Amino acid sequence: MKLPTRVKLIDVGPRDGLQNEKQPVSAEVKIGLVHRLQDAGLKEIEVTSFVSPKWVPQMADNAEVMHGIRRKPGVRYSVLTPNMKGFEAAIAAPREEWPDEIVVFGAASEAFSQKNINCSIAESIERFAPVVAAALDKGIDVRGAMSCTVGCPYEGEIAPAKVGYLAQLMKGIGVQRVDVADTIGVGTPRKVQAAMEATLAHFDVAAVSGHFHDTYGQALVNTLAALELGVWNFQSSSAGLGGCPYAKGATGNVATEDVIYMLHGMGIETGIDLDKLIDAGVYISQALGREPNSLASKAIRTKRAG
Ligand code: HMG
Ligand code: MG
């Protein structure tokens, strides 16, 4: 199949990237990251999550971050909302501070659903349904994240049929597009394609994105495997930040810098300025006191230093 000529990236660094950080990261730094990402040309940014601060303390400043960001026209800002309480908190601010899109997040694995959001898959869909309806009613778009579509830290390998089942449930409650997530980065190309194909049975290819953690170094080949199926939406984190607090051992998302280097090298457009993005990754890495977790960033910075 001919590969897509253009790819859209959602940088999930401010949310997925930072949610697992044990050290406090100020709202100011998070806002600074969002600004640098949009200045680099990102058109979609996952900013924060309206989850329980007891479960994920790092996201407790969600409202402050949403209030502080300077919106750039044409950029879509999304937030995670697991239940009505989270959705109501996300729209408690004036309308101009509302997210453009909310994300309900479920799992293809029962055990992970319990660990991450404290309910079964069926219960999660019951909780999401009113959230989806309320968002659509208010003109806010809805995405559904599907965790553990290839493997689960508690259940092991996940059959594609379970992914298809979750995708069908998401579709049934009005979710407009879905993320096929390899939460713990265990996937390899054929397995990722099987999870994608199970999802594509229920959603149009334009409504499916790949969300690959890079724990086993497979995220870039998995991205290519998804591109081969025509998928052209992907999620990644600048500087390769990330991990889920309820997925032990899961490391960061694939680095946005590495994905862009690969795509641009293949002649696939992203609209993103790689140099500016590298600087965004350096900014957040310095705030965290470490080096960016991206080989493309490292190589290009070494060359720059000449
Ligand atoms: P629960 O304990 O079952 O909820 O948690 P509850 O309804 O029984 O409420 C318990 C307490 O939490 C109450 O407070 C509620 O008010 C409060 P208390 O009376 O004890 O003081 N509460 C909330 N507070 C703020 N915001 C809310 C909210 N809801 C309840 N929205 C819940 C259920 C879903 C809330 C909890 O399990 C939770 O917050 N989980 C978050 C898990 C999370 O954020 N995980 C990381 C994101 S998912 C991810 O990273 C994967 C992804 O990247 C894709 C991939 O890679 O796989 C998306
Ligand atoms: Mg994730």
Side-chain angles (χ1 to χ4, degrees), residues 15-16 19 49-56 80 82-83 85-86 105 112 116-118 127 145-148 181-183 211 213 243-246:
R15 194 282 303 170
D16 203 349
Q19 69 183 8
S49 52
F50 286 83
V51 297
S52 163
K54 284 185 195 144
W55 284 62
V56 187
L80 267 55
N83 52 18
K85 191 175 170 84
F105 49 105
F112 188 77
N116 195 41
I117 51 173
N118 207 20
R127 284 187 195 177
M146 305 195 297
S147 289
C148 299
D182 181 10
T183 314
H211 175 119
H213 286 260
C244 175
Y246 298 99

Side-chain angles (χ1 to χ4, degrees), residues 22-285:
K22 296 289 169 278
Q23 55 179 311
V25 182
S26 70
E28 193 190 339
V29 165
K30 292 169 183 162
I31 292 164
L33 175 59
V34 170
H35 289 166
R36 282 164 178 79
L37 293 173
Q38 62 193 20
D39 289 346
L42 263 302
K43 290 279 182 280
E44 296 208 37
I45 303 172
E46 206 170 85
V47 179
T48 185
S49 52
F50 286 83
V51 297
S52 163
K54 284 185 195 144
W55 284 62
V56 187
Q58 188 63 258
M59 296 286 112
D61 58 3
N62 41 34
E64 191 182 347
V65 174
M66 288 303 280
H67 175 69
I69 55 174
R70 171 178 23 86
R71 303 260 178 147
K72 189 174 174 185
V75 176
R76 172 183 288 247
Y77 303 90
S78 54
V79 303
L80 267 55
T81 56
N83 52 18
M84 276 312 281
K85 191 175 170 84
F87 177 70
E88 278 156 13
I91 61 159
R95 192 170 189 123
E96 60 273 16
E97 290 177 22
W98 288 6
D100 300 301
E101 180 177 62
I102 55 124
V103 184
V104 290
F105 49 105
S109 136
E110 279 295 348
F112 188 77
S113 181
Q114 288 290 351
K115 296 274 183 194
N116 195 41
I117 51 173
N118 207 20
C119 62
S120 68
I121 295 171
E123 284 162 350
S124 75
I125 293 295
E126 271 173 42
R127 284 187 195 177
F128 299 155
V131 178
V132 175
L136 294 177
D137 184 55
K138 295 215 167 330
I140 299 172
D141 289 335
V142 179
R143 182 151 53 85
M146 305 195 297
S147 289
C148 299
T149 61
V150 185
C152 167
Y154 312 103
E155 288 183 16
E157 202 155 319
I158 297 294
K162 291 189 175 175
V163 182
Y165 175 66
L166 178 63
Q168 186 179 15
L169 293 175
M170 290 264 188
K171 182 90 186 175
I173 56 168
V175 167
Q176 295 164 301
R177 57 180 188 151
V178 284
D179 312 330
V180 178
D182 181 10
T183 314
I184 53 170
V186 289
T188 43
R190 296 285 172 248
K191 288 180 185 172
V192 164
Q193 284 181 333
M196 285 284 171
E197 276 161 351
T199 307
L200 290 167
H202 304 282
F203 285 89
D204 184 82
V205 70
V208 174
S209 64
H211 175 119
F212 306 130
H213 286 260
D214 201 25
T215 319
Y216 288 79
Q218 303 297 298
L220 275 185
V221 285
N222 290 339
T223 302
L224 185 56
L227 283 167
E228 282 175 355
L229 297 181
V231 172
W232 54 274
N233 287 279
F234 293 95
Q235 292 158 8
S236 54
S237 282
S238 49
L241 305 166
C244 175
Y246 298 99
K248 216 173 180 331
T251 56
N253 293 92
V254 64
T256 311
E257 295 89 325
D258 293 353
V259 178
I260 291 174
Y261 180 81
M262 178 181 87
L263 294 173
H264 289 184
M266 294 171 76
I268 298 174
E269 276 178 56
T270 66
I272 297 165
D273 180 327
L274 180 54
D275 276 310
K276 282 192 181 170
L277 186 76
I278 286 172
D279 294 341
V282 169
Y283 162 83
I284 189 61
S285 301

